[in-house]
Amino acid sequence: MAYSSSWSRALVQISPYTFSAIGIAVAIGISVLGAAWGIYITGSSLIGAAIKAPRITSKNLISVIFCEAVAIYGVIVAIILQTKLESVPASQIYAAESLRAGYSIFASGLIVGFANLVCGLCVGIIGSSCALSDAQNSSLFVKILVIEIFGSALGLFGVIVGIIMSAQATWPTKAA
Amino acid sequence: MYGFEAMTFNIHGGYLEAIVRGYRSGLLNAADYNNLCQCETLDDIKMHLSATEYGPYLQNEPSPLHTTTIVEKCTLKLVDEYKHMLTQATEPLSTFLEYCTYGHMIDNVVLIVTGTLHERDVQELLEKCHPLGMFDSIATLAVAQNMRELYRLVLVDTPLAPYFSECITSEDLDDMNIEIMRNTLYKAYLEDFYRFCQKLGGATAEIMSDLLAFEADRRAVNITINSIGTELTRDDRRKLYSNFGLLYPYGHEELAICEDLDQVRGVMEKYPPYQSIFSKLSYGESQMLDKAFYEEEVKRLCLSYEQQFHYAVFFAYIRLREQEIRNLMWISECVAQNQKSRVHDSVVFIF
């Protein structure tokens, strides 16, 4: 084996456990960031608009619930991912199978985290516009809600792909 | 960065934007104006207004109402709402809201100085000042004899101080100088406001540029028309035009040499946005010009509400309220003087 120093050598020498742990952290952390971002965007507009039009509060909590769902997706995927983490005998840590498992958990976490980030942002911005429009004209609420539903589907796509990705994370079980 | 305001605007401005949109939904609409135009007496007007949002402000007024009382109470509503928003605002929105009132400050300063020149009582003048433009040392304006004293005694502590650099002279104040002072101050104010909005960037800069450019162009046309036939020289006239807007710089060159309304019309018809305004007037008629400008302004102000996450909605709200108060004043005056046929001459519907 050549002992040249190159980036590909460096990447391959990072433990798959590191990649997995970072993937799980990103899955939950960035999802919650997206959800919180969306909730404050919707919430501040909702509070201000509800002063003049108190009837909008109960209906527009749906926007907040859609944002919250994004955080729940992140929690579910993080729990699934961490059940996929197994211990591997020391000689097998840098085997190709282990690296593959580590990378797939990392990628799954990244997918879910960033899909939920943009989904939470999207639902939050639409929710803010929905609250302001509903305050002026209550027939607009249901129509804008349809847009929000399409927006929240984005997070769902991320979760589906992330779960499929992590389903193939099989660690090697015994010394080859 | 234009286009990404939605991500961070609501941190500081979300609540207040929702509040100002709530206030805007309380503006009088066409049905209200139709009811008001059919009133016979001022008490009828008070009764119709008590069903709108002006109710709490007018209900305690004793029965022989004057038009000035109605206007004063309605202005009080605007002031209350403005103060409510200003106390809750953070930077840079609070500076923006303060900029919106400097125009009134300038008008108040000119009102007191002119009134003192004509030997009116200071208290009486203070009551006529617009409440949005009051500042602490305003009563001291009555003492000043020329502009240098005006600046040194009173205005150096106000936000208007930087606008005075172009017009400090030691000449005594008389009517002509005061009008020139008013227009010079307003020019400096508009340019400063424009620069401030450009610095804010994003959607605020774009929409406010359009609104302020229209204001600058409108003032240029009004200055031109009002100074036809007076002793204001062409160079002086050109110095009063702002240095931004659709008409800058070529339109200003042409406006500066205009001597009557038809030449002004000829200049303005070269600019498509203003062509539609001037095409509504037949030749030789200037009374409808004010109304045409107000209608165009209201149209642009209402359009600013189509976009979310910017500050121009606050500016637009203050201007739309002022237009509504002008409408109410016109309707009250027509009713009080029994000239109901002329009521629709000058009312600009907002919705």
Side-chain angles (χ1 to χ4, degrees):
Chain A
M1 208 190 310
Y3 285 93
S4 60
S5 59
S6 67
W7 283 108
S8 55
R9 238 7 249 282
L11 277 175
V12 160
Q13 297 284 40
I14 299 178
S15 161
Y17 294 143
T18 312
F19 278 115
S20 309
I22 293 177
I24 296 171
V26 165
I28 179 67
I30 310 265
S31 299
V32 168
L33 174 65
W37 204 330
I39 290 180
Y40 91 66
I41 292 181
T42 301
S44 52
S45 291
L46 183 53
I47 292 175
I51 291 182
K52 217 37 190 316
R55 59 182 164 80
I56 67 169
T57 42
S58 32
K59 274 198 298 188
N60 278 278
L61 284 179
I62 286 186
S63 306
V64 178
I65 291 174
F66 274 132
C67 288
E68 179 70 24
V70 155
I72 292 177
Y73 297 156
V75 171
I76 291 174
V77 169
I79 291 177
I80 291 177
L81 289 181
Q82 66 88 25
T83 58
K84 297 266 178 223
L85 259 185
E86 294 167 10
S87 283
V88 157
S91 59
Q92 298 280 43
I93 289 184
Y94 294 102
E97 275 293 307
S98 301
L99 293 179
R100 179 175 179 264
Y103 294 152
S104 70
I105 295 180
F106 176 64
S108 172
L110 229 58
I111 290 168
V112 169
F114 286 103
N116 285 339
L117 172 65
V118 293
C119 172
L121 208 56
C122 166
V123 173
I125 294 174
I126 299 176
S128 152
S129 306
C130 183
L132 294 178
S133 318
D134 190 17
Q136 305 268 3
N137 179 358
S138 45
S139 66
L140 288 175
F141 176 71
V142 177
K143 300 177 176 127
I144 299 184
L145 201 61
V146 173
I147 305 177
E148 265 188 74
I149 291 173
F150 277 110
S152 74
L154 300 173
L156 218 45
F157 297 158
V159 169
I160 292 171
V161 173
I163 290 184
I164 293 176
M165 192 80 205
S166 69
Q168 49 169 305
T170 45
W171 300 83
T173 44
K174 58 188 189 322
Chain B
M1 199 173 23
Y2 192 8
F4 289 87
E5 290 92 20
M7 304 206 298
T8 50
F9 182 86
N10 275 11
I11 302 176
H12 293 296
Y15 174 69
L16 281 176
E17 179 181 1
I19 289 212
V20 86
R21 282 175 186 266
Y23 287 154
R24 170 202 173 265
S25 69
L27 287 170
L28 300 177
N29 55 21
D32 291 322
Y33 282 123
N34 281 332
N35 284 343
L36 287 172
C37 290
Q38 287 165 5
C39 288
E40 297 289 332
T41 67
L42 290 179
D43 285 325
D44 281 346
I45 289 187
K46 175 177 157 184
M47 186 183 73
H48 276 122
L49 284 180
S50 61
T52 67
E53 294 196 347
Y54 288 109
Y57 290 86
L58 285 176
Q59 69 191 14
N60 291 329
E61 292 303 308
S63 199
L65 271 183
H66 296 279
T67 57
T68 48
T69 323
I70 294 182
V71 171
E72 205 180 289
K73 294 300 167 193
C74 295
T75 313
L76 200 58
K77 179 177 194 306
L78 169 60
V79 173
D80 282 344
E81 289 172 350
Y82 173 79
K83 290 207 169 113
H84 177 80
M85 291 194 293
L86 187 61
T87 48
Q88 306 233 9
T90 60
E91 290 291 334
L93 179 55
S94 50
T95 311
F96 185 90
L97 284 174
E98 285 173 4
Y99 264 102
C100 295
T101 61
Y102 291 166
H104 290 297
M105 250 187 232
I106 294 175
D107 286 339
N108 286 352
V109 165
V110 169
L111 181 75
I112 292 193
V113 168
T114 318
T116 313
L117 198 64
H118 294 160
E119 324 236 331
R120 300 248 194 280
D121 178 41
V122 173
Q123 284 306 114
E124 192 187 313
L125 292 171
L126 282 178
E127 281 171 24
K128 286 199 201 301
C129 284
H130 196 285
L132 276 183
M134 296 299 273
F135 51 93
D136 283 337
S137 45
I138 193 168
T140 338
L141 284 171
V143 173
Q145 301 282 24
N146 62 30
M147 286 188 213
R148 203 177 283 281
E149 276 187 18
L150 203 61
Y151 179 73
R152 196 172 52 83
L153 289 179
V154 181
L155 294 166
V156 69
D157 291 325
T158 65
L160 297 179
Y163 306 150
F164 265 82
S165 56
E166 286 182 28
C167 62
I168 300 183
T169 62
S170 298
E171 293 172 16
D172 276 344
L173 299 165
D174 64 27
D175 280 324
M176 179 73 145
N177 286 348
I178 292 177
E179 273 310 303
I180 294 183
M181 177 177 84
R182 182 212 296 268
N183 284 309
T184 318
L185 284 178
Y186 211 90
K187 167 190 171 189
Y189 155 62
L190 275 183
E191 288 170 7
D192 193 26
F193 198 1
Y194 185 77
R195 269 194 303 269
F196 177 72
C197 292
Q198 293 295 101
K199 217 167 46 160
L200 288 177
T204 303
E206 169 146 337
I207 299 176
M208 283 306 293
S209 299
D210 183 52
L211 293 175
L212 290 177
F214 180 76
E215 178 76 15
D217 292 337
R218 180 168 78 160
R219 285 192 80 87
V221 170
N222 282 336
I223 288 174
T224 311
I225 294 180
N226 290 341
S227 62
I228 290 173
T230 65
E231 21 179 75
L232 194 65
T233 65
R234 290 176 181 181
D235 285 334
D236 281 343
R237 202 197 273 181
R238 187 171 320 142
K239 271 196 284 199
L240 295 177
Y241 298 150
S242 304
N243 62 3
F244 64 96
L246 205 57
L247 292 176
Y248 170 78
Y250 306 112
H252 289 167
E253 303 274 327
E254 294 181 17
L255 274 181
I257 58 177
C258 282
E259 294 298 331
D260 67 36
L261 185 61
D262 288 328
Q263 287 180 0
V264 171
R265 177 200 296 275
V267 171
M268 298 303 283
E269 284 186 343
K270 294 188 198 149
Y271 295 88
Y274 303 130
Q275 189 180 26
S276 55
I277 297 178
F278 277 80
S279 64
K280 286 189 215 162
L281 311 173
S282 50
Y283 275 95
E285 186 188 289
S286 73
Q287 300 95 308
M288 301 304 284
L289 184 62
D290 275 346
K291 182 174 183 192
F293 270 130
Y294 281 137
E295 277 172 357
E296 178 72 18
E297 184 189 14
V298 163
K299 195 173 75 169
R300 289 174 189 228
L301 292 172
C302 286
L303 278 178
S304 74
Y305 281 92
E306 306 278 313
Q307 205 169 332
Q308 210 181 334
F309 309 121
H310 61 85
Y311 292 149
V313 288
F314 296 97
F315 176 79
Y317 173 69
I318 297 177
R319 285 297 170 102
L320 284 172
R321 258 299 169 209
E322 287 170 7
Q323 178 60 42
E324 184 177 274
I325 292 175
R326 271 198 292 271
N327 287 347
L328 285 175
M329 182 171 77
W330 179 262
I331 294 175
S332 311
E333 288 287 347
C334 284
V335 163
Q337 295 174 16
N338 258 324
Q339 298 247 17
K340 289 187 45 193
S341 54
R342 296 199 55 197
V343 138
H344 287 284
D345 278 353
S346 196
V347 172
V348 178
F349 290 173
I350 296 179
F351 288 134

